Protein backbone atom coordinates (compact mmCIF):
# COMPACT_ATOMS: atom_id res chain seq x y z
CA UNK A 1 0.00 0.00 0.00
CA UNK A 2 1.33 3.45 -0.84
CA UNK A 3 1.76 6.06 1.88
CA UNK A 4 -1.12 8.00 0.43
CA UNK A 5 -3.53 5.05 0.41
CA UNK A 6 -2.47 4.15 3.95
CA UNK A 7 -3.95 7.46 5.13
CA UNK A 8 -7.41 6.31 3.97
CA UNK A 9 -6.90 2.93 5.55
CA UNK A 10 -5.88 4.56 8.88
CA UNK A 11 -8.91 6.80 8.73
CA UNK A 12 -11.24 3.81 8.24
CA UNK A 13 -9.49 1.93 11.04
CA UNK A 14 -10.15 4.88 13.36
CA UNK A 15 -13.87 4.82 12.41
CA UNK A 16 -13.99 1.08 13.10
CA UNK A 17 -12.38 1.59 16.53
CA UNK A 18 -15.10 4.10 17.44
CA UNK A 19 -17.90 1.82 16.20
CA UNK A 20 -18.57 4.26 13.35
CA UNK A 21 -17.48 2.28 10.29
CA UNK A 22 -20.22 2.19 7.65
CA UNK A 23 -20.83 -0.91 5.53
CA UNK A 24 -23.38 -1.46 2.79
CA UNK A 25 -26.16 -3.74 4.00
CA UNK A 26 -27.59 -6.45 1.76
CA UNK A 27 -31.07 -5.09 1.12
CA UNK A 28 -32.43 -7.73 -1.25
CA UNK A 29 -35.89 -8.43 0.09
CA UNK A 30 -36.06 -11.83 1.74
CA UNK A 31 -39.55 -13.36 1.87
CA UNK A 32 -39.83 -13.31 5.65
CA UNK A 33 -38.09 -10.01 6.28
CA UNK A 34 -39.91 -7.21 8.03
CA UNK A 35 -38.39 -3.93 6.88
CA UNK A 36 -38.40 -0.72 8.93
CA UNK A 37 -35.22 0.68 7.39
CA UNK A 38 -36.69 2.49 4.40
CA UNK A 39 -38.55 5.71 3.62
CA UNK A 40 -41.25 4.13 1.46
CA UNK A 41 -43.83 5.60 3.85
CA UNK A 42 -46.87 4.91 1.65
CA UNK A 43 -45.69 1.57 0.28
CA UNK A 44 -45.58 2.98 -3.26
CA UNK A 45 -42.10 1.85 -4.36
CA UNK A 46 -43.34 -1.52 -5.61
CA UNK A 47 -46.77 -0.46 -6.83
CA UNK A 48 -47.25 -1.81 -10.38
CA UNK A 49 -48.87 1.47 -11.57
CA UNK A 50 -45.62 3.32 -10.90
CA UNK A 51 -43.52 0.76 -12.74
CA UNK A 52 -45.96 0.85 -15.68
CA UNK A 53 -45.93 4.65 -15.69
CA UNK A 54 -42.11 4.59 -15.80
CA UNK A 55 -42.16 2.23 -18.77
CA UNK A 56 -44.80 4.31 -20.57
CA UNK A 57 -42.80 7.50 -20.05
CA UNK A 58 -39.68 5.69 -21.25
CA UNK A 59 -41.38 4.56 -24.46
CA UNK A 60 -42.63 8.08 -25.12
CA UNK A 61 -39.63 10.22 -24.04
CA UNK A 62 -36.71 7.79 -23.88
CA UNK A 63 -34.88 6.05 -21.05
CA UNK A 64 -32.62 9.04 -20.56
CA UNK A 65 -33.10 12.77 -21.07
CA UNK A 66 -29.94 12.94 -23.28
CA UNK A 67 -28.72 16.26 -21.92
CA UNK A 68 -29.25 19.06 -19.43
CA UNK A 69 -32.58 20.88 -19.39
CA UNK A 70 -30.97 23.92 -21.03
CA UNK A 71 -29.67 21.85 -23.94
CA UNK A 72 -31.56 18.75 -25.09
CA UNK A 73 -33.27 17.41 -21.95
CA UNK A 74 -36.34 19.61 -21.48
CA UNK A 75 -39.18 17.20 -22.29
CA UNK A 76 -42.89 17.88 -21.93
CA UNK A 77 -42.90 15.45 -19.03
CA UNK A 78 -40.48 17.63 -17.04
CA UNK A 79 -42.69 20.66 -17.66
CA UNK A 80 -45.89 18.80 -16.83
CA UNK A 81 -44.61 17.47 -13.52
CA UNK A 82 -43.35 20.93 -12.55
CA UNK A 83 -46.71 22.50 -13.40
CA UNK A 84 -48.48 19.91 -11.22
CA UNK A 85 -46.13 20.47 -8.30
CA UNK A 86 -46.52 24.24 -8.49
CA UNK A 87 -50.31 23.97 -8.64
CA UNK A 88 -50.52 21.55 -5.71
CA UNK A 89 -47.94 23.32 -3.58
CA UNK A 90 -49.59 26.69 -4.19
CA UNK A 91 -46.55 28.32 -5.80
CA UNK A 92 -46.12 30.01 -9.17
CA UNK A 93 -43.53 27.53 -10.37
CA UNK A 94 -41.40 24.48 -9.62
CA UNK A 95 -38.15 22.93 -10.83
CA UNK A 96 -37.17 19.25 -10.69
CA UNK A 97 -33.73 17.83 -9.91
CA UNK A 98 -32.21 14.33 -10.16
CA UNK A 99 -32.09 13.95 -6.39
CA UNK A 100 -33.16 15.76 -3.26
CA UNK A 101 -29.53 16.07 -2.25
CA UNK A 102 -28.75 17.78 -5.53
CA UNK A 103 -31.81 20.05 -5.22
CA UNK A 104 -30.70 21.32 -1.82
CA UNK A 105 -27.03 21.65 -2.67
CA UNK A 106 -27.73 23.43 -5.96
CA UNK A 107 -30.64 25.65 -4.94
CA UNK A 108 -29.26 26.78 -1.58
CA UNK A 109 -25.80 27.47 -3.03
CA UNK A 110 -27.37 29.61 -5.77
CA UNK A 111 -29.74 31.49 -3.45
CA UNK A 112 -26.89 32.35 -1.06
CA UNK A 113 -24.56 33.51 -3.82
CA UNK A 114 -22.71 36.61 -2.61
CA UNK A 115 -22.19 37.95 -6.11
CA UNK A 116 -25.92 37.94 -6.86
CA UNK A 117 -26.89 39.28 -3.43
CA UNK A 118 -24.20 41.95 -3.41
CA UNK A 119 -23.45 41.05 0.22
CA UNK A 120 -22.64 38.14 2.52
CA UNK A 121 -25.88 36.35 3.43
CA UNK A 122 -26.93 35.89 7.05
CA UNK A 123 -28.09 32.28 7.34
CA UNK A 124 -30.14 31.04 10.30
CA UNK A 125 -30.42 27.26 10.28
CA UNK A 126 -31.93 24.61 12.50
CA UNK A 127 -29.08 22.70 14.17
CA UNK A 128 -30.32 19.35 12.82
CA UNK A 129 -30.81 20.25 9.16
CA UNK A 130 -29.85 17.62 6.58
CA UNK A 131 -26.28 17.36 5.26
CA UNK A 132 -27.36 18.50 1.78
CA UNK A 133 -28.56 21.82 3.20
CA UNK A 134 -25.20 22.30 4.89
CA UNK A 135 -23.51 21.49 1.61
CA UNK A 136 -25.47 24.26 -0.13
CA UNK A 137 -24.23 26.75 2.50
CA UNK A 138 -20.67 25.46 2.25
CA UNK A 139 -20.66 25.72 -1.55
CA UNK A 140 -21.76 29.36 -1.24
CA UNK A 141 -19.09 29.99 1.42
CA UNK A 142 -21.88 31.11 3.77
CA UNK A 143 -21.47 30.86 7.53
CA UNK A 144 -24.52 29.49 9.32
CA UNK A 145 -25.91 30.75 12.60
CA UNK A 146 -27.43 27.59 14.05
CA UNK A 147 -30.44 27.79 16.32
CA UNK A 148 -31.42 25.02 18.74
CA UNK A 149 -33.48 22.32 17.08
CA UNK A 150 -37.09 23.52 16.56
CA UNK A 151 -36.52 26.31 19.11
CA UNK A 152 -38.18 29.30 17.48
CA UNK A 153 -37.62 31.45 20.58
CA UNK A 154 -33.89 30.92 20.01
CA UNK A 155 -34.31 31.75 16.31
CA UNK A 156 -36.22 34.90 17.24
CA UNK A 157 -33.42 35.92 19.62
CA UNK A 158 -30.90 35.58 16.81
CA UNK A 159 -33.08 37.40 14.28
CA UNK A 160 -33.51 40.24 16.81
CA UNK A 161 -29.76 40.42 17.34
CA UNK A 162 -29.27 41.04 13.62
CA UNK A 163 -32.49 43.04 13.09
CA UNK A 164 -30.61 46.21 12.11
CA UNK A 165 -28.13 44.38 9.90
CA UNK A 166 -28.75 45.21 6.22
CA UNK A 167 -27.36 41.88 4.94
CA UNK A 168 -29.90 39.57 3.26
CA UNK A 169 -31.33 37.00 5.67
CA UNK A 170 -32.25 33.35 5.16
CA UNK A 171 -33.95 30.80 7.40
CA UNK A 172 -33.39 27.12 6.56
CA UNK A 173 -35.32 24.24 8.09
CA UNK A 174 -36.65 20.79 7.40
CA UNK A 175 -40.40 20.51 8.02
CA UNK A 176 -40.37 16.86 9.16
CA UNK A 177 -36.91 16.01 10.46
CA UNK A 178 -35.57 12.81 8.94
CA UNK A 179 -33.69 11.42 11.93
CA UNK A 180 -35.94 12.61 14.76
CA UNK A 181 -39.38 12.44 13.16
CA UNK A 182 -40.50 15.71 14.70
CA UNK A 183 -42.09 18.71 12.97
CA UNK A 184 -41.28 22.37 12.52
CA UNK A 185 -44.01 24.98 12.95
CA UNK A 186 -44.10 26.15 9.33
CA UNK A 187 -46.66 28.92 9.94
CA UNK A 188 -44.49 30.43 12.69
CA UNK A 189 -41.34 30.06 10.61
CA UNK A 190 -42.95 31.90 7.70
CA UNK A 191 -44.30 34.63 9.93
CA UNK A 192 -40.83 35.16 11.49
CA UNK A 193 -39.25 35.18 8.04
CA UNK A 194 -41.72 37.79 6.80
CA UNK A 195 -41.30 39.93 9.93
CA UNK A 196 -37.50 40.04 9.53
CA UNK A 197 -37.45 40.21 5.73
CA UNK A 198 -35.83 36.78 5.41
CA UNK A 199 -36.17 34.20 2.66
CA UNK A 200 -37.56 30.98 4.16
CA UNK A 201 -36.29 27.69 2.69
CA UNK A 202 -38.19 24.58 3.79
CA UNK A 203 -37.14 20.97 3.12
CA UNK A 204 -40.21 18.72 2.85
CA UNK A 205 -38.31 15.51 1.99
CA UNK A 206 -40.03 13.51 4.75
CA UNK A 207 -43.32 15.44 4.78
CA UNK A 208 -44.18 15.14 1.07
CA UNK A 209 -46.80 12.42 0.69
CA UNK A 210 -47.46 12.08 4.42
CA UNK A 211 -48.68 15.49 5.62
CA UNK A 212 -51.07 18.12 4.29
CA UNK A 213 -54.77 17.70 3.49
CA UNK A 214 -53.88 16.16 0.10
CA UNK A 215 -50.47 14.77 1.02
CA UNK A 216 -48.48 17.57 -0.61
CA UNK A 217 -46.50 18.37 2.54
CA UNK A 218 -46.72 20.38 5.75
CA UNK A 219 -46.41 23.63 3.79
CA UNK A 220 -49.72 22.77 2.12
CA UNK A 221 -51.37 23.98 5.33
CA UNK A 222 -50.21 27.60 4.88
CA UNK A 223 -50.43 30.15 2.11
CA UNK A 224 -46.89 30.41 0.86
CA UNK A 225 -45.31 33.85 0.51
CA UNK A 226 -43.33 34.58 -2.70
CA UNK A 227 -40.21 34.67 -0.51
CA UNK A 228 -40.78 31.11 0.74
CA UNK A 229 -39.06 28.33 -1.19
CA UNK A 230 -40.16 24.74 -0.58
CA UNK A 231 -37.99 21.80 -1.52
CA UNK A 232 -39.13 18.17 -1.48
CA UNK A 233 -38.31 14.74 -2.85
CA UNK A 234 -39.89 11.94 -4.85
CA UNK A 235 -37.51 9.51 -3.15
CA UNK A 236 -39.32 8.86 0.11
CA UNK A 237 -43.13 8.62 0.39
CA UNK A 238 -43.47 8.78 -3.41
CA UNK A 239 -41.32 5.67 -3.66
CA UNK A 240 -39.29 6.82 -6.68
CA UNK A 241 -36.31 9.23 -6.70
CA UNK A 242 -35.50 12.84 -7.48
CA UNK A 243 -36.21 16.21 -5.92
CA UNK A 244 -38.08 19.43 -6.59
CA UNK A 245 -38.12 23.05 -5.57
CA UNK A 246 -41.49 24.86 -5.52
CA UNK A 247 -41.09 28.62 -5.63
CA UNK A 248 -41.96 31.89 -7.35
CA UNK A 249 -41.39 32.22 -11.11
CA UNK A 250 -38.59 34.67 -10.33
CA UNK A 251 -36.74 32.19 -8.11
CA UNK A 252 -37.22 29.45 -10.72
CA UNK A 253 -35.72 31.71 -13.41
CA UNK A 254 -32.87 32.53 -11.07
CA UNK A 255 -32.15 28.85 -10.36
CA UNK A 256 -32.27 27.99 -14.08
CA UNK A 257 -29.62 30.65 -14.62
CA UNK A 258 -27.48 30.28 -11.51
CA UNK A 259 -27.82 26.83 -9.93
CA UNK A 260 -24.76 24.87 -11.09
CA UNK A 261 -26.29 21.56 -10.03
CA UNK A 262 -29.19 22.25 -12.39
CA UNK A 263 -27.29 23.80 -15.31
CA UNK A 264 -24.43 21.32 -15.52
CA UNK A 265 -26.31 18.08 -14.90
CA UNK A 266 -28.31 15.83 -17.22
CA UNK A 267 -32.06 16.30 -16.73
CA UNK A 268 -33.79 13.63 -14.60
CA UNK A 269 -34.65 10.48 -16.57
CA UNK A 270 -38.18 10.28 -18.04
CA UNK A 271 -38.44 6.81 -16.46
CA UNK A 272 -38.11 8.36 -13.02
CA UNK A 273 -40.33 11.34 -13.72
CA UNK A 274 -43.07 9.18 -15.26
CA UNK A 275 -43.23 7.16 -12.04
CA UNK A 276 -42.96 10.32 -9.91
CA UNK A 277 -45.89 11.96 -11.71
CA UNK A 278 -47.97 8.81 -11.27
CA UNK A 279 -47.17 8.76 -7.53
CA UNK A 280 -47.88 12.49 -7.22
CA UNK A 281 -51.29 11.97 -8.84
CA UNK A 282 -52.11 9.22 -6.34
CA UNK A 283 -51.36 11.33 -3.24
CA UNK A 284 -54.77 12.96 -2.68
CA UNK A 285 -56.48 9.55 -2.74
CA UNK A 286 -54.16 8.07 -0.09
CA UNK A 287 -55.71 9.84 2.91
CA UNK A 288 -56.66 6.56 4.65
CA UNK A 289 -53.09 5.25 4.25
CA UNK A 290 -51.75 8.50 5.77
CA UNK A 291 -54.16 8.38 8.71
CA UNK A 292 -53.42 4.69 9.37
CA UNK A 293 -49.67 5.28 9.15
CA UNK A 294 -49.69 8.13 11.66
CA UNK A 295 -52.04 6.31 14.03
CA UNK A 296 -49.79 3.23 14.01
CA UNK A 297 -46.74 5.41 14.64
CA UNK A 298 -48.48 6.90 17.67
CA UNK A 299 -49.30 3.45 18.99
CA UNK A 300 -45.73 2.28 18.45
CA UNK A 301 -44.32 5.29 20.33
CA UNK A 302 -46.67 4.59 23.25
CA UNK A 303 -45.52 0.94 23.40
CA UNK A 304 -41.84 1.87 23.22
CA UNK A 305 -42.18 4.57 25.86
CA UNK A 306 -44.01 2.14 28.12
CA UNK A 307 -40.89 -0.06 27.84
CA UNK A 308 -38.80 2.88 29.05
CA UNK A 309 -37.29 3.58 25.62
CA UNK A 310 -36.44 7.07 24.43
CA UNK A 311 -38.29 7.99 21.22
CA UNK A 312 -37.20 11.63 21.44
CA UNK A 313 -39.60 14.23 20.10
CA UNK A 314 -41.06 12.11 17.28
CA UNK A 315 -44.63 12.87 16.23
CA UNK A 316 -44.53 11.34 12.73
CA UNK A 317 -43.96 8.10 10.79
CA UNK A 318 -40.25 8.25 11.74
CA UNK A 319 -39.65 6.86 15.21
CA UNK A 320 -36.13 6.88 16.66
CA UNK A 321 -35.13 4.63 19.53
CA UNK A 322 -32.28 6.64 21.01
CA UNK A 323 -29.73 4.34 22.65
CA UNK A 324 -26.78 6.77 22.83
CA UNK A 325 -23.85 4.42 22.34
CA UNK A 326 -22.90 3.50 18.73
CA UNK A 327 -21.71 -0.03 19.56
CA UNK A 328 -24.86 -0.82 21.49
CA UNK A 329 -26.91 0.57 18.61
CA UNK A 330 -25.13 -1.65 16.07
CA UNK A 331 -25.49 -4.68 18.32
CA UNK A 332 -29.24 -4.04 18.68
CA UNK A 333 -29.60 -3.64 14.92
CA UNK A 334 -27.76 -6.92 14.30
CA UNK A 335 -29.80 -8.77 16.92
CA UNK A 336 -33.01 -7.54 15.24
CA UNK A 337 -31.69 -8.64 11.83
CA UNK A 338 -31.20 -12.12 13.21
CA UNK A 339 -34.90 -12.15 14.03
CA UNK A 340 -35.78 -11.10 10.48
CA UNK A 341 -36.37 -7.43 11.24
CA UNK A 342 -34.42 -4.77 9.41
CA UNK A 343 -33.98 -1.33 10.96
CA UNK A 344 -31.39 1.39 10.38
CA UNK A 345 -28.68 2.12 12.94
CA UNK A 346 -27.80 5.82 12.75
CA UNK A 347 -24.61 7.09 14.33
CA UNK A 348 -22.55 10.30 14.35
CA UNK A 349 -21.89 12.31 12.29
CA UNK A 350 -25.40 11.74 10.86
CA UNK A 351 -26.78 12.46 14.34
CA UNK A 352 -25.13 14.36 17.24
CA UNK A 353 -22.59 12.59 19.47
CA UNK A 354 -24.22 10.53 22.19
CA UNK A 355 -27.51 10.14 20.31
CA UNK A 356 -26.90 6.99 18.23
CA UNK A 357 -30.22 5.37 17.52
CA UNK A 358 -32.26 2.79 15.77
CA UNK A 359 -34.38 4.59 13.20
CA UNK A 360 -37.77 3.02 12.56
CA UNK A 361 -39.36 4.18 9.31
CA UNK A 362 -43.01 3.13 9.24
CA UNK A 363 -44.93 2.43 6.08
CA UNK A 364 -48.64 2.26 5.29
CA UNK A 365 -47.85 -1.27 4.09
CA UNK A 366 -47.05 -2.39 7.69
CA UNK A 367 -49.81 -4.07 9.67
CA UNK A 368 -50.63 -3.95 13.39
CA UNK A 369 -49.21 -7.48 13.62
CA UNK A 370 -45.93 -6.26 12.04
CA UNK A 371 -45.63 -3.61 14.73
CA UNK A 372 -46.36 -6.10 17.50
CA UNK A 373 -43.60 -8.34 16.12
CA UNK A 374 -41.24 -5.35 16.04
CA UNK A 375 -41.93 -4.39 19.65
CA UNK A 376 -41.57 -7.99 20.82
CA UNK A 377 -38.26 -8.40 18.98
CA UNK A 378 -36.97 -5.07 20.25
CA UNK A 379 -37.36 -6.21 23.86
CA UNK A 380 -35.25 -9.29 23.13
CA UNK A 381 -32.70 -7.52 20.94
CA UNK A 382 -32.00 -4.72 23.38
CA UNK A 383 -31.38 -7.29 26.11
CA UNK A 384 -29.01 -9.20 23.82
CA UNK A 385 -27.29 -5.99 22.74
CA UNK A 386 -26.54 -5.11 26.36
CA UNK A 387 -25.29 -8.60 27.18
CA UNK A 388 -23.00 -8.66 24.13
CA UNK A 389 -21.07 -5.52 25.17
C1 LIG B 1 -34.20 16.08 4.92
C2 LIG B 1 -33.61 15.52 3.68
N1 LIG B 1 -33.37 16.33 2.65
C3 LIG B 1 -32.84 15.87 1.50
C4 LIG B 1 -32.52 14.54 1.34
C5 LIG B 1 -31.91 14.07 0.06
O1 LIG B 1 -32.89 13.50 -0.74
P1 LIG B 1 -32.55 12.36 -1.81
O2 LIG B 1 -32.42 11.09 -1.03
O3 LIG B 1 -33.71 12.40 -2.72
O4 LIG B 1 -31.27 12.75 -2.46
C6 LIG B 1 -32.76 13.66 2.38
C7 LIG B 1 -32.43 12.21 2.20
O5 LIG B 1 -32.04 11.52 3.03
C8 LIG B 1 -33.31 14.15 3.59
O6 LIG B 1 -33.52 13.33 4.63
Amino acid sequence: MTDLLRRYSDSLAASARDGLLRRLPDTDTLPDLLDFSGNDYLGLARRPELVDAAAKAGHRFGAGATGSRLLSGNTRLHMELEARIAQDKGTEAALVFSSGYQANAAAIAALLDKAALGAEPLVFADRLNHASMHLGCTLAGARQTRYRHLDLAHLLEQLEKYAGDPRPKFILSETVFGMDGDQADVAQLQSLALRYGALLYLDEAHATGVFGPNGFGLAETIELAPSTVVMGTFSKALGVGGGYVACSSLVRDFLINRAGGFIFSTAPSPLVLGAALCAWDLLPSLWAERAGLLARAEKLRASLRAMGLDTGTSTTQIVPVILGDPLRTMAARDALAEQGIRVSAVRPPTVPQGSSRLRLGLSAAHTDADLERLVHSLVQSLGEALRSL
Side-chain angles (χ1 to χ4, degrees), residues 46-101:
R46 288 177 172 269
R47 283 268 285 252
E49 303 99 291
L50 268 65
V51 180
D52 292 345
K56 215 165 138 199
H59 286 301
R60 176 123 185 254
F61 298 103
T66 77
S68 74
R69 293 283 295 283
L70 287 163
L71 298 177
S72 59
N74 190 32
T75 72
R76 254 192 294 141
L77 179 59
H78 293 78
M79 308 287 275
E80 188 187 337
L81 179 56
E82 287 173 347
R84 285 298 310 278
I85 293 169
Q87 178 194 308
D88 293 335
K89 284 288 208 183
T91 54
E92 285 176 349
L95 197 62
V96 295
F97 292 81
S98 290
S99 78
Y101 190 92

Side-chain angles (χ1 to χ4, degrees), residues 254-307:
F254 181 75
L255 294 178
I256 288 172
N257 281 275
R258 294 285 187 277
F262 175 84
I263 298 168
F264 302 110
S265 182
T266 298
S269 157
L271 295 173
V272 172
L273 293 199
L277 181 54
C278 175
W280 190 272
D281 278 340
L282 285 174
L283 291 183
S285 68
L286 299 176
W287 55 269
E289 281 81 351
R290 280 191 281 283
L293 172 68
L294 295 175
R296 245 178 270 118
E298 184 57 49
K299 213 164 132 193
L300 174 64
R301 275 189 296 276
S303 303
L304 297 175
R305 283 173 187 157
M307 289 158 56

Side-chain angles (χ1 to χ4, degrees), residues 99-102 104 130 132 174 178 203 205-206 231 233 235-236 242:
S99 78
Y101 190 92
Q102 188 187 13
N104 271 339
H130 191 256
S132 52
E174 295 181 36
D203 176 332
H206 297 276
M231 170 274 179
T233 61
S235 53
K236 317 233 183 278

Side-chain angles (χ1 to χ4, degrees), residues 64-65 72 99 147 170 223 234 246 272 287 313-314 342 377 382 386:
S72 59
S99 78
Y147 58 90
F170 295 80
E223 190 173 328
F234 312 124
V272 172
W287 55 269
T313 44
S314 161
R342 185 188 289 145
S377 301
L382 290 174
L386 275 181

